Amino acid sequence: ARDLAGRGGDALVLVGERQPAAVHALGHALNAALSARGARLLPSPFIDAGAATIDLGTLAADLSRGAVDTLVICETNPVYDAPADLDFARLLEKVDNSVRLGLYADETARACATYLPQAHFLESWGDARALDGTVSLIQPLIAPLHGGHTTAEVLAAFAGEAAPSSFTLLSERWQKGAGLDDRAFEGALQKGFIPGTAAAAIAPPLAWGAILPALGALPAPDGALEIDYYPDPSLLDGRFANLSWLLELGDPITKIAWDNAAHLSPRTARRLGVDTGDVVDLALENRHLQIPVFVVPGCADDAVALRLGWGRSGAEVLANNVGARAGALRTKDHPWFQAGLQLTKTGHTKSFPLVQTQWTEHDRPIALRTTLSRYRRDPRFAHEEQKPEPTIYNNRPPLPALEQWAMSIDLSICTGCSACMVACQAENNVLVVGAAGVKRGRVMHWLRVDNYFSGPAEDPRAVHQPMLCQHCEKAPCEYVCPVNATVHSPDGLNEMVYNRCVGTRFCSNNCPYKVRRFNWFNWMREVEANRGLVRLQRNPDVTVRERGVMEKCSYCVQRIREVEITAKKAGRDIRESEVVTACQQACPTGAIQFGSLRHRETEMVRRRLEPRNYKVLNDLATEPRTQYQARIDNPNPELEGA
């Protein structure tokens, strides 16, 4: 409270989207009391004022009494994700004409009389609104592969148009309906949005007398076990459950891939007598769900957290029967959390496919962190742990005529979102290995995001660390390769020559960072997820590796060489920040920076000059080109050590 009051108008209170309306009202009241300059409310741009809408409960009541003759369901899957107490599959049986438009033959498509293939957004003309209300124009990159239709086309057909065209509908909406002339519409297509369409922020009126009574109506904690539902960070509500990259990405906290679990705190797990891998039965209002337990440091006590989006039962090849359906316990009155959960051990156990199995650093200088106060007292704390051992190798002087590529990663602003992992997978044609391959430790990710926990299990501190090939100047992998398959380039890259590799795996054994990946099988043949339409996505600038060869991060060498060729043809030098790796491009916080050491004014070089800059396992004297900036936490001094 003192922190908030002391900051005045710079303070801001945010309320989680899963919280009830009364808690959101309290958040607005606190911001009003603080005169928070950042507090504002944007009206919903998705529904026009006066539009006729009903909630799902009203629709369910109409379906139950047979008042609906025709139901068209677009871009949603209520049979799977509607509250369990509505039993939407049974309600659909009462409809004479049911139509489902979707990308997959999912649970709702199976329950409907008619299924229409939907055009993917990369195949569609359409529009959308940003969070601030700005109209964005969706434009196709390819023609529909399966003759799919957009939602606008289907609704226009029901409205009486004989042969609706999504482009015609779009242009008529914004040229005739909004008064844009041809030039303005063409300009909007080039920009991707229509200027001046953002919604104006409004100050929400507060009914002060109603806030406290509303808060008093919220259920008080009673010590009962509570169930909490969360949209999965990768699969969301299940709409992305048929994408193999996301299934194998791993949960950002537990690192479980191809499965989900019931998350419990260590104290609650001990009280209930369960441990990681125990399959339990969760019972809530006569509904049951069997799911394995995963004990998570830092999880709230007396709560069971479930990720939504798993346990699909449609016709999707990859998503079908993967994980447990947490939505089987949700109700319309308690969509996000509910007390009164009963947990019972079944006596069965289950092992998880984990993309990370070590959670501590074992006193090694890997993911360094300190507090702001300690950093101010000892700015060079990271260097105290960076004492390289003597080496017989001579320093390799970089060639002054060439760019010297390097990367800096700031652990203070890495959130562990793993967007860099998926970007790397897409850019470099990294194949998936499936749940069985993950269990055997054969994950092929060139870049991983490691989590390390410190402190007590009830209140741990976590740090996220993207780990990829360090491109060492004195690379231990290079001098053990008997066929010169891993070599050093003049511009500082540790390269893999696939045609030379014979699969001795000496390089992987000698890599202290464990970032090399071996193709134990031809994953194109072994894993269904690597076949089919996903082959059209392959990057033509990067080869697809075969069985028996080693692979790893290349610093997106194909992007480097493309820029080099472009600059050479133009008769100029490579510009600062002209080369952007896939991981850097995808990072939402800018934690990953890449560039040439010759460009002294770039963010990448500036970070390396900070006192907190360090090299992972520098005592091995590998001289990595990838360097890190230690995480600096800023806890409240009144609470530090409490």
Side-chain angles (χ1 to χ4, degrees):
R2 283 192 293 274
D3 278 349
L4 288 171
R7 298 300 298 179
D10 291 334
L12 181 67
V13 175
L14 298 178
V15 180
E17 61 182 9
R18 301 183 307 114
Q19 296 300 318
V23 180
H24 279 269
L26 178 63
H28 286 301
L30 289 171
N31 285 324
L34 294 168
S35 299
R37 287 187 287 269
R40 58 179 185 156
L41 182 67
L42 295 174
S44 173
F46 305 105
I47 301 175
D48 292 333
T53 59
I54 61 173
D55 60 29
L56 193 60
T58 304
L59 173 62
D62 291 342
L63 292 172
S64 180
R65 59 188 177 86
V68 178
D69 174 78
T70 301
L71 181 63
V72 183
I73 302 174
C74 300
E75 302 184 36
T76 186
N77 186 10
V79 171
Y80 168 76
D81 56 25
D85 54 341
L86 294 182
D87 196 1
F88 210 87
R90 179 186 59 82
L91 296 177
L92 272 179
E93 296 175 356
K94 300 178 178 293
V95 180
D96 294 334
N97 303 296
S98 54
V99 180
R100 166 75 165 108
L101 173 72
L103 289 173
Y104 302 102
D106 53 24
E107 295 86 347
T108 301
R110 285 186 160 187
C112 287
T114 304
Y115 170 62
L116 298 176
Q118 179 186 348
H120 191 271
F121 71 88
L122 295 177
E123 306 170 328
S124 306
W125 288 98
D127 55 10
R129 288 190 183 268
L131 289 178
D132 67 351
T134 299
V135 175
S136 303
L137 301 181
I138 303 171
Q139 305 176 53
L141 297 180
I142 59 174
L145 294 173
H146 301 292
H149 302 281
T150 66
T151 300
E153 289 173 339
V154 171
L155 297 181
F158 275 93
E161 290 205 29
S165 162
S166 58
F167 176 75
T168 302
L169 294 170
L170 179 68
S171 61
E172 288 182 350
R173 168 67 180 88
W174 295 111
Q175 286 189 275
K176 295 181 180 179
L180 295 180
D181 56 26
D182 290 343
R183 184 174 181 179
F185 185 68
E186 290 291 335
L189 289 177
Q190 292 177 4
K191 295 177 181 177
F193 66 94
I194 300 178
T197 53
I202 61 174
L206 291 172
W208 292 95
I211 293 177
L212 288 181
L215 288 172
L218 294 174
D222 57 1
L225 199 61
E226 178 183 281
I227 188 169
D228 290 83
Y229 309 100
Y230 296 83
D232 189 86
S234 298
L235 311 186
L236 200 60
D237 57 358
R239 69 188 67 183
F240 303 123
N242 205 47
L243 301 178
S244 59
W245 293 347
L246 301 182
L247 290 170
E248 195 156 297
L249 181 61
D251 184 278
I253 303 299
T254 64
K255 298 300 180 181
I256 301 174
W258 295 93
D259 207 345
N260 65 333
H263 299 171
L264 275 73
S265 71
R267 184 182 288 115
T268 301
R270 288 193 299 269
R271 179 172 66 83
L272 298 175
V274 297
D275 202 353
T276 294
D278 287 338
V279 178
V280 297
D281 181 82
L282 303 180
L284 189 65
E285 297 180 354
N286 297 320
R287 291 181 297 279
H288 293 264
L289 174 69
Q290 290 195 357
I291 188 172
V293 164
F294 198 96
V295 179
V296 183
C299 190
D301 290 332
D302 300 320
V304 176
L306 299 180
R307 302 285 201 200
L308 301 172
W310 298 84
R312 301 292 304 280
S313 58
E316 296 98 326
V317 175
L318 304 180
N320 194 22
N321 295 322
V322 176
R325 183 190 169 211
L329 300 176
R330 293 178 83 197
T331 64
K332 63 180 184 297
D333 295 328
H334 302 91
W336 296 115
F337 47 85
Q338 184 176 1
L341 179 71
Q342 300 295 321
L343 184 149
T344 308
K345 289 181 66 173
T346 65
H348 302 289
T349 60
K350 183 178 182 179
S351 61
F352 293 104
L354 298 175
V355 296
Q356 179 183 346
T357 56
Q358 293 291 328
W359 306 92
T360 59
E361 301 172 68
H362 300 285
D363 297 322
R364 296 173 298 168
I366 298 177
L368 301 184
R369 68 184 304 166
T370 190
T371 62
L372 182 59
S373 59
R374 293 170 189 163
Y375 180 55
R376 287 170 173 167
R377 292 195 303 267
D378 182 15
R380 299 184 62 82
F381 81 99
H383 296 266
E384 295 176 0
E385 304 188 43
Q386 299 286 292
K387 301 174 182 178
E389 297 290 337
T391 176
I392 63 173
Y393 289 94
N394 296 322
N395 289 328
R396 185 180 340 205
L399 298 179
L402 294 176
E403 306 290 352
Q404 296 299 314
W405 304 106
M407 181 175 286
S408 296
I409 302 177
D410 191 343
L411 300 186
S412 288
I413 55 179
C414 175
T415 64
C417 69
S418 302
C420 54
M421 293 180 62
V422 178
C424 175
Q425 195 162 12
E427 172 72 17
N428 296 294
N429 300 333
V430 178
L431 304 180
V432 300
V433 300
V438 174
K439 285 186 177 181
R440 292 182 173 91
R442 294 172 176 169
V443 178
M444 297 301 295
H445 292 137
W446 286 9
L447 186 160
R448 67 179 190 265
V449 179
D450 292 334
N451 288 350
Y452 295 106
F453 296 98
S454 61
E458 290 74 19
D459 186 22
R461 290 186 174 182
V463 59
H464 310 288
Q465 183 180 51
M467 178 56 62
L468 62 161
C469 177
Q470 303 291 283
H471 291 272
C472 308
E473 283 296 305
K474 302 170 186 175
C477 57
E478 293 178 8
Y479 54 75
V480 296
C481 181
V483 293
N484 236 25
T486 177
V487 294
H488 213 79
S489 73
D491 52 356
L493 305 185
N494 176 255
E495 298 182 320
M496 272 300 308
V497 184
Y498 301 125
N499 287 345
R500 295 179 189 167
C501 183
V502 296
T504 65
R505 306 192 301 282
F506 291 164
C507 59
S508 180
N509 187 66
N510 225 36
C511 174
Y513 307 99
K514 299 308 171 192
V515 289
R516 289 177 160 267
R517 303 289 177 257
F518 183 68
N519 286 273
W520 290 92
F521 297 99
N522 185 332
W523 299 115
M524 289 284 290
R525 288 204 303 259
E526 294 290 331
V527 179
E528 172 68 27
N530 295 317
R531 301 195 293 267
L533 282 179
V534 72
R535 298 179 65 178
L536 298 179
Q537 178 275 334
R538 305 284 185 230
N539 185 351
D541 294 330
V542 181
T543 183
V544 178
R545 283 71 62 186
E546 297 181 350
R547 178 187 179 188
V549 301
M550 191 69 65
E551 60 184 69
K552 64 167 194 68
C553 162
S554 66
Y555 269 174
C556 288
V557 65
Q558 67 279 1
R559 295 190 176 197
I560 295 175
R561 302 302 178 233
E562 180 182 5
V563 170
E564 286 178 344
I565 293 171
T566 301
K568 186 175 181 180
K569 288 167 62 177
R572 60 172 176 82
D573 292 334
I574 296 176
R575 303 186 183 100
E576 291 185 0
S577 305
E578 189 173 4
V579 178
V580 179
T581 62
C583 56
Q584 176 190 2
Q585 183 179 1
C587 181
T589 65
I592 300 175
Q593 294 292 322
F594 179 79
S596 173
L597 294 173
R598 295 177 62 195
H599 297 154
R600 298 292 184 179
E601 302 303 319
T602 59
E603 175 69 10
M604 185 273 296
V605 174
R606 185 197 64 76
R607 288 184 182 178
R608 297 163 88 90
L609 300 178
E610 294 185 20
R612 62 191 179 105
N613 184 74
Y614 74 99
K615 306 166 187 175
V616 173
L617 301 180
N618 187 55
D619 57 319
L620 301 180
T622 60
E623 293 298 325
R625 283 290 181 95
T626 300
Q627 297 183 14
Y628 294 83
Q629 291 74 54
R631 180 181 177 89
I632 307 299
D633 296 321
N634 188 21
N636 188 318
E638 297 182 52
L639 300 177
E640 189 174 357

